[in-house]
């Protein structure tokens, strides 16, 4: 197409005020009118609306516009929206260029509208300069492996696996520990339904493990990953279990095992042996060896020669999967030594511990702890949640948990109700900042707690309660001091035989997975989605999807919804057996390439660019050849090529130069109307 | 494979009396749109039935949305557009589902009535010339009656479809619009039209309502001019709002002192609404932040019982609001009256110091709660629970499954929730509908003896 | 030709039927329209001498301020009134003929 046939439509979006409150969009439009090749200039309150998109479509059809530039929000939001509109009007979707006037301009220059308007003009000019050089491109279409890897065998991973398998997609689920179920297995009666946690969990596990499309590996972790959406090559490393499935002498073997470690199922309240079952009916119901604890003394083997193998080797499994779902879950916040007396006084426990402790207490007679009768319990909310930077002590990474963990309020009140039911004589004190029983059925739990006579005390976030030893002649060993705003800021002292800390949620540490999959964590350390409303379960890496509490605090119901939403995304990506990738990949001009191979040397991606024999004038010579599916279009090869033989399609050096020229040119000179 | 309906006919089902789809989505708010898109993007054919003249639901009325403070139309309108243009989605507006029957093959037949627009939707270009000649100004429900509309109108500027509709209950039948229409689209002869949709799965996304402003006598019973609900404030804050500014209704004054009354319709036994509506803390904080941007000199106070900013990034949002100088007062508002200038006077017991205080503001916003929308019992046989929202048999593991195989419920039809949660849940409903469709398909393939397994276990 | 006539006759009959069916609502709207026209006349009269704020127009017209606001808003939406600037905490409005002068 010759220069004069290029007909550019330029559109400046008000973004419902987001841009136009700062940038004078009409003035920007005025700057663009009459520029060479620019045949239509329009503004609109919201270009991304159906009406706004129709403007573009009509201009393409009726005014012969064949290049489109929209100045609006960040391209991550709506570049694709506009490409689709362009395509609907019959134009190649890559004859579109998106200029960011919001995140890069109006939002960051709110106090300087004049300069922001000038900057918007320059950004649009640069976009138009690039648009003159746009060329038709085609998306890269690839076969997709209809197989998803789900990492994490908690309720989130299980629910995703179930929905995806039902949808007809093969699933491999890997669980790091020897047993399935995650934290849900450690709960008893769950809010808001009052169901038994393990019963509900086991029903789902049974179905998942017996589904013909699902393969489950326990003791397994992801150890390598490469490739792209539709075609990830992953390696899973599974540690041996050490115990055969038909091993029938667990009790004797455990009795023989001389190693005793804190039982993490009971959050360290009890101990277990190095050969263990997480709980009697844990799934899989085969005991496992805790390799970290085991000394390989062989005592367990002496009970019965066969069935235990302490010398097993890890197994590696290579798989090709189309999508990866990260469902690695959470861990309860671990209070620091001395925080609210934790670790300092044996009478201070966390809420997860308290849940376990309740199951260890037989009957409904008297609650005892540490051999002492318990008559007063203080429960403190927001431990490891809603912390204030500068007020509360940061963790090792310098950050505080400034978020709400959302499950603890209801879980705490549920605990008070259970305590009241089983041990009605106990005085219960609930110390909180706000009560956040937000979900369906949760407020009822709060109401019940109030009816049960729980005494509520309310503190300010920067004046948290203090747990101290009581004077020796007091009946209870601890005193909790609190400035209570339900009694107008009075300093109160609450006697406590037991203090329960409602600890918040933190993500399971998954830095290895973050690195392998190149995904990101947010400021709160939880895994980060692209956008909470537009792509709420997707990461910035296409094909890598999030499910459950790895992404943020959630209760089981919310986890299941999120996990199903992740399965829907798997269905969208893989359900049709094909994926399309953006065409912004490197392209080699073989006329200029001299086969120096510098590009191959600097490329950080496997199999993205290689020297291959190419026939030129009857002679076979080595030239760089790009494998589009593996190339991410980073442009490192472009920068080292001595002959300018490589470009990234859609973002060529020429296009960049034109944009830079346009940005740095004197504005008035550019405003000259031809 | 079923026969694919022609998407070009989607606006005119008169030509496609019977439609065969994989999934029927009822309700075109954010939840219904997202479920429809998540199913259509997987290759399933979807019919989306909306009773109003445009899709978008409540969300399209909002200004900017927490927690990202994106302008609401930036999120909603592209989704509306995607629904309208999707090859796999048949969009049916002004339609009511009148009956739903099982069809004996694990699927359902829906009887749908399309109510007349009195407009030939294919001919209408949405130019609004008719609206300009219509002689009667009517309170616009889209602007909570603060602005005006006419008896013939395009529902709002970003409506999808961009087609006019005649409000026959307020039409004079004067015929001016007919003469003004450049494409002869006005058609008074249209009649309600009934047709059937055959579908295998059903997703109910019929949404919520807000507490009526006259619900609480102590808060003026809807009679105080400068006591408005939060949805009205959304319209005042929106760039397309009725006044183009934030003005109070009694006299058009720009308010200098604005108060929020939290839990005005939630956690209130006297109204029979014991539950928390989940969104009001966040939307009040959001509005307060937007107000302090728009009216930098204004004082903004939020009266609350508990601040429940529980979602991802929400607590940080709250802390930012505090840092911006928005005043949070812990106390339950007992009464609202007004002085002779229509300034609302709030009587509150502040819990921090136990005193009863009276404070006068220019404008008071009631943070109204979420009430159940349509009762899904009579037509869909999905009964309401005690709180009025759809009863869910297994809320823990299957939050979107109703008791009926292949029938799912999503978004605020299943309880109060915000947009983020509605979108997640819409994806969940789509996943489960897809699983149901596949198990049905494989049971059909396996022959007549196979019992279709229920997907929502 | 005859076909056209027939169509026209059918149309008239249809409209008649529709009018009959909606007799009550049409009457109701007619009353509303009358009242509206009267209020508009009063407001336009009050605004004749130039722009005004809502309380000013209310004072001059004797109508309640909130009603004035609604009507001015409606008139603004349909281009009969324009906003001309601020006056303290209020905005000023003018009739469109006035504003264009
Ligand atoms: C004290 C307390 C009480 C609660 N009470 C309730 C209640 O009553 N009702 C309710 O609805 N919710 C309750 N919850 C919340 C509930 O526990 C969670 O919502 C739910 O367990 C989250 O499930 P998940 O699958 O996301 O995470 P998890 O349960 O943490 O599961 C994650 C799984 O991934 C595995 N994993 C981690 N890293 C890797 C890796 N690298 N590779 C492979 N696998 C990995 C883990 O071993 C684990 O099995 C409570 C939470 C707490 C802390
Ligand atoms: C004042 C206010 C401010 C808010 N601000 C925010 C915010 O900033 N951020 C945020 O995340 N959330 C916010 N929310 C919450 C948000 O509005 C809801 O989460 C969201 O709109 C719910 O969408 P929905 O699709 O479930 O319901 P709805 O929006 O109610 O949609 C339901 C749709 O179904 C249609 N329908 C109903 N019955 C039928 C039927 N029988 N047949 C056919 N169609 C039917 C309706 O016409 C409607 O289009 C706010 C809410 C309020 C009240």
């Amino acid at each position: 197409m010759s220069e004069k046939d290029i007909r550019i439509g330029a559109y400046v979006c008000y973004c419902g005020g987001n841009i136009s409150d700062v940038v004078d969009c009409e003035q920007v439009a005025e700057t663009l009118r009459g520029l060479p090749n620019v045949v239509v200039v329009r503004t609109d309150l919201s270009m991304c609306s159906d009406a706004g998109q129709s403007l573009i479509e009509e201009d393409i059809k009726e005014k012969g516009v064949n290049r489109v530039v929209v100045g609006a929000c960040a391209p991550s939001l709506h570049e694709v929206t506009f490409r689709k509109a362009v395509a609907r009007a019959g134009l190649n979707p890559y004859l579109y260029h998106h200029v960011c006037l919001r995140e890069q301009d109006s939002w960051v220059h709110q106090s300087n509208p004049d300069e922001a308007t000038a900057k918007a003009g320059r950004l649009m000019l640069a976009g138009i300069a690039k648009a003159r050089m746009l060329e038709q491109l085609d998306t890269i279409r690839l076969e997709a492996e209809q197989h998803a890897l789900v990492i994490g065998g908690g309720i989130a991973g299980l629910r995703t696996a179930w929905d995806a398998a039902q949808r007809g997609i093969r699933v491999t689920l890997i669980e790091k520990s020897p047993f399935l179920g995650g934290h849900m297995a450690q709960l008893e009666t769950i809010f808001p339904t009052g169901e038994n946690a393990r019963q509900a969990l086991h029903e789902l596990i049974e179905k998942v493990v017996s589904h013909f499309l699902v393969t489950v590996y326990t003791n397994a972790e992801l150890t390598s990953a490469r490739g792209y959406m539709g075609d990830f090559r992953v390696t899973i490393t599974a540690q041996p279990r050490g115990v055969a499935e038909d091993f029938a002498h667990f009790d004797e073997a455990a009795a023989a095992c001389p190693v005793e470690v804190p039982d993490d199922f009971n959050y360290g309240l009890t101990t277990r042996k190095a050969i263990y079952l997480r709980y009697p009916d844990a799934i899989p119901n085969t005991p496992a060896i805790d390799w970290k604890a085991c000394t390989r003394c062989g005592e367990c083997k002496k009970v019965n020669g066969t069935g235990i193998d302490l010398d097993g080797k890890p197994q590696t499994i290579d798989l090709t999967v189309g999508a990866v779902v990260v469902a690695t879950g959470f861990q309860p916040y671990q209070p620091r030594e001395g925080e609210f007396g934790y670790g300092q006084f044996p009478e201070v426990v966390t809420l997860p511990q308290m849940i376990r402790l309740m199951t260890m207490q037989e009957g409904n007679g008297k609650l005892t702890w540490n051999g002492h009768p318990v008559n007063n319990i203080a429960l403190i909310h927001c431990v490891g949640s809603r912390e204030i930077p500068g007020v509360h002590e940061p963790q090792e990474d310098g950050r505080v948990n400034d978020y709400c963990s959302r499950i603890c309020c209801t879980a705490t009140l549920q605990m008070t109700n259970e305590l009241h039911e089983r041990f009605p004589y106990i005085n219960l004190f609930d110390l909180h900042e706000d009560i956040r029983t937000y979900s369906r059925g949760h407020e009822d739990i709060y109401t019940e707690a109030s009816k049960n006579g729980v005494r509520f005390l309310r503190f300010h976030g920067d004046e948290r309660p203090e747990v101290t030893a009581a004077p020796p002649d007091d009946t209870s060993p601890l005193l909790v001091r609190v400035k209570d705003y339900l009694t107008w800021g009075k300093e109160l002292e609450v006697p406590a035989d037991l203090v329960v800390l409602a600890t918040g949620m933190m993500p399971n540490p998954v830095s290895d997975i973050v690195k392998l999959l190149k995904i990101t964590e947010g400021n709160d350390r939880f895994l980060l989605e692209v956008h909470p409303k537009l792509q709420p379960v997707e990461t910035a890496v296409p094909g890598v999807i999030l499910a459950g509490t790895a992404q943020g605090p959630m209760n089981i119901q919310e986890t299941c919804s999120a996990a199903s939403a992740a399965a829907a995304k798997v269905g969208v990506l893989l359900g049709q057996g094909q994926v399309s990738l953006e065409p912004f990949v490197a392209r080699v001009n073989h006329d200029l390439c001299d086969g120096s191979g510098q590009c191959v040397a600097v490329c950080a991606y496997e199999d993205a660019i290689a020297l291959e024999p190419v026939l030129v004038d009857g002679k076979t010579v080595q030239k760089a050849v790009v494998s589009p599916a593996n190339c991410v279009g980073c442009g490192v090869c472009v920068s080292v090529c001595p002959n300018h033989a490589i470009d990234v399609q859609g973002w060529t050096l020429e296009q960049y130069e034109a944009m830079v020229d346009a940005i740095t040119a004197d504005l008035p000179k550019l405003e000259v109307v031809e | 494979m079923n026969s694919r309906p022609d998407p070009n006919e989607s606006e005119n089902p008169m030509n496609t009396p019977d439609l065969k789809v994989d999934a029927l989505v009822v309700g075109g708010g954010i939840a219904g749109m997202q479920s429809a898109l998540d199913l259509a993007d997987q290759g399933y054919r979807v019919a989306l039935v909306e009773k109003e003249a445009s899709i978008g639901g409540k969300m399209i009325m909002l200004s900017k949305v927490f927690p990202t403070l994106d302008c609401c139309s930036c999120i909603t309108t592209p989704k509306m557009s995607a629904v309208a243009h999707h090859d796999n989605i048949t969009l049916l507006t002004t339609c009511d589902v009148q009956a739903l029957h099982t069809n004996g093959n694990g699927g359902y037949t829906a009887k749908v009535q399309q109510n007349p627009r009195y407009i030939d939707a294919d001919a209408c270009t949405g130019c609004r010339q008719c609206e300009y000649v219509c002689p009667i100004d009517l309170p616009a429900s889209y602007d909570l009656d603060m602005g005006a509309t006419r008896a013939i109108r395009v529902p709002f500027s970003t409506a999808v479809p961009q087609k006019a509709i005649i409000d026959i209950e307020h039409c004079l039948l004067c015929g001016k619009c007919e003469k003004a229409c450049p494409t002869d689209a006005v058609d008074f002869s249209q009649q309600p039209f009934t047709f059937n949709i055959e579908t295998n799965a059903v997703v109910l996304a019929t949404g919520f309502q807000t507490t009526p402003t006259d619900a609480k006598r102590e808060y003026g019973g809807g009679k105080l001019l400068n006591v408005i609900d939060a949805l009205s404030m959304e319209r005042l804050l929106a760039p397309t709002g009725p006044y183009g500014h934030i003005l109070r209704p009694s006299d058009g004054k720009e308010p200098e002192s604005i108060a929020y009354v939290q839990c005005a319709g939630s956690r209130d036994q006297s109204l029979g609404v014991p539950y928390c509506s989940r969104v009001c803390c966040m939307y009040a904080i959001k509005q307060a932040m937007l107000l302090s941007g728009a009216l930098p000199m204004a004082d903004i106070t939020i009266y609350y019982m508990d601040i429940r900013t529980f979602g991802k990034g929400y607590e940080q949002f709250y802390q930012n609001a505090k840092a911006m100088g928005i005043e949070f007062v812990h106390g339950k508002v007992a009464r609202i009256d007004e002085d002779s200038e229509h300034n609302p006077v709030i009587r509150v017991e502040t819990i921090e110091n136990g005193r009863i205080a009276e404070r006068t503001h220019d404008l008071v916003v009631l943070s109204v709660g979420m009430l159940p929308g349509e009762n899904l019992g009579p037509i869909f046989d999905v009964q309401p629970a005690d709180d009025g929202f759809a009863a869910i048999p297994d809320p823990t593991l299957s939050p979107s499954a109703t008791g009926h195989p292949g029938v799912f419920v999503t978004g605020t039809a299943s309880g109060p929730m915000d947009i983020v949660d509605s979108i997640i849940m819409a994806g969940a409903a789509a996943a489960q509908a897809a699983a149901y469709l596949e198990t049905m398909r494989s049971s059909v393939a396996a022959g007549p003896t196979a019992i279709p397994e229920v997907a929502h276990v | 030709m005859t076909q056209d006539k027939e169509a026209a006759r059918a149309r008239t009959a249809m409209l008649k039927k529709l009018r009959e069916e909606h007799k009550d609502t049409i009457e109701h709207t007619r009353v509303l329209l009358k009242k509206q026209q009267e209020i508009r006349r009063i407001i336009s009269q009050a605004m004749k001498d130039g722009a005004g704020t809502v309380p000013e127009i209310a004072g001059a017209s004797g109508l309640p301020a909130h009603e004035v606001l609604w009507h001015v808003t409606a008139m603004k939406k349909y281009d009969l009134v324009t906003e001309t600037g601020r006056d303290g905490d209020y905005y000023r409005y003018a009739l469109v003929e006035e504003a264009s002068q």
Side-chain angles (χ1 to χ4, degrees), chain A residues 151-158 174-177 179-185 187 189-192 220-222 267 278 327-332 351-353 355 407 411 414 503-505 508-510 512-513 547-550 553-559, chain B residues 396:
Chain A
I151 308 174
I155 187 68
L158 292 162
I174 59 172
E175 163 58 47
K176 181 170 74 170
S177 77
F179 304 98
L180 294 171
H183 287 97
M184 187 169 164
L187 302 176
T189 308
I190 46 173
F191 68 76
E221 285 186 82
L222 180 73
Y267 296 101
R278 200 178 178 213
T328 48
F330 75 101
Q331 53 176 8
L351 180 61
Q353 286 178 322
I355 292 173
I407 57 110
Q414 155 114 339
T503 45
M505 278 185 168
N508 256 329
V510 285
D512 47 339
I513 289 182
T549 54
M554 299 177 191
N555 63 35
I556 297 166
Q557 175 178 350
E558 292 157 349
T559 300
Chain B
T396 309

Side-chain angles (χ1 to χ4, degrees), chain B residues 66 262-263 276 278-286 302 304 306-309 317 328 367:
Chain B
F66 67 74
Q262 295 306 107
C263 295
C276 165
R278 295 178 66 140
V279 297
C280 328
C281 282
M282 276 300 280
Y283 75 55
I285 295 172
K286 166 194 78 174
I302 297 181
Y304 72 97
D306 293 283
I307 290 290
R308 295 184 165 176
T309 45
F317 195 83
F328 287 83
S367 289

Side-chain angles (χ1 to χ4, degrees), chain A residues 533, chain B residues 26-32 49-52 56-59 62 64-66 95-97 205-208 210 230-231 234 279 283 286-287 370 374 410-413 417-420 422:
Chain A
K533 297 191 184 78
Chain B
V26 185
I30 186 64
V49 169
E50 166 60 53
K51 71 171 159 53
E52 301 292 334
K58 298 275 187 317
M59 185 175 167
L62 307 181
K64 291 184 180 167
V65 279
F66 67 74
C95 284
D96 277 319
V97 177
T206 46
F208 71 104
T210 49
L231 215 46
E234 289 290 335
V279 297
Y283 75 55
K286 166 194 78 174
Q287 292 187 355
M370 281 193 170
E374 169 135 352
T410 193
T412 51
M417 66 181 78
D418 63 17
I419 295 163
V420 176
S422 297

Side-chain angles (χ1 to χ4, degrees), chain A residues 488, chain B residues 303 329-332 348-357:
Chain A
W488 317 312
Chain B
Y303 298 97
V329 176
H330 184 207
K332 176 87 184 143
V348 60
E349 184 188 349
T350 55
I351 295 170
E352 303 272 291
N353 56 20
R355 293 211 188 96
I356 309 266

Side-chain angles (χ1 to χ4, degrees), chain A residues 654-668:
Chain A
E654 252 191 327
Q655 289 169 347
Y656 273 115
E657 277 160 16
M659 290 174 80
V660 173
D661 284 349
I663 284 186
T664 53
D666 289 342
L667 265 186

Side-chain angles (χ1 to χ4, degrees), chain A residues 15-16 18 45-46 48-50 53 57 77-78 81 88 102 155 159 162-163 166-167 184 190 193 195 200 207 386 402-404 406 434-440 443 446 458 460 485-486 488-489 524 526-529 531-534 536-537 551 556-558 560-562 564-565 567-569 571-572 576, chain B residues 38 41-44 64-68 70-71 73-75 77-79 81 85 158 160 239-240 267 274 276 278 304-312 315-316 318 330 351-354 385 387 389-390 392 395-399 414 419-421 423-425 427-428 431-432 434-435 438-439 453 455 457:
Chain A
C15 197
N18 268 305
L45 188 62
S46 133
C48 61
S49 70
D50 202 52
Q53 294 184 45
E57 290 176 56
L77 268 94
H78 288 317
T81 307
R88 275 202 304 276
R102 194 177 76 172
I155 187 68
R159 180 79 234 193
W162 175 244
D163 285 331
Q166 291 276 94
R167 168 69 182 78
M184 187 169 164
I190 46 173
T193 53
E195 293 158 273
K207 284 193 308 196
R386 298 184 70 187
D402 58 358
Y403 53 86
C404 166
R406 92 192 259 173
D434 293 279
I435 294 283
R436 295 184 166 174
T437 42
Y438 58 88
S439 200
R440 243 183 140 183
E443 192 76 16
Y446 181 17
R458 190 179 183 105
H460 280 184
Y485 284 92
L486 296 178
W488 317 312
D524 55 7
F526 287 95
L527 296 176
L528 193 62
E529 65 285 338
H531 187 283
K533 297 191 184 78
L534 293 173
V537 296
Q551 195 185 352
I556 297 166
Q557 175 178 350
E558 292 157 349
C560 284
S561 267
S564 291
K569 215 27 87 187
V572 168
Q576 310 196 72
Chain B
D38 282 344
D41 283 346
Q42 298 188 57
Y44 300 108
K64 291 184 180 167
V65 279
F66 67 74
T68 41
D70 293 296
C71 94
S73 23
C74 301
I75 308 291
T77 55
K79 292 214 197 251
S81 179
H85 294 295
T158 50
V160 168
T240 54
R267 302 180 67 192
C276 165
R278 295 178 66 140
Y304 72 97
M305 297 207 285
D306 293 283
I307 290 290
R308 295 184 165 176
T309 45
F310 55 82
K312 188 167 177 171
E315 176 68 16
Q316 296 90 322
Y318 168 36
H330 184 207
I351 295 170
E352 303 272 291
N353 56 20
D387 59 9
F389 293 92
I392 307 294
T396 309
L397 292 186
S398 295
S414 67
I419 295 163
V420 176
D421 290 340
I423 288 175
I424 289 282
M425 205 179 168
Q432 285 167 53
E438 291 304 320
T439 42
E453 197 178 347
V457 219

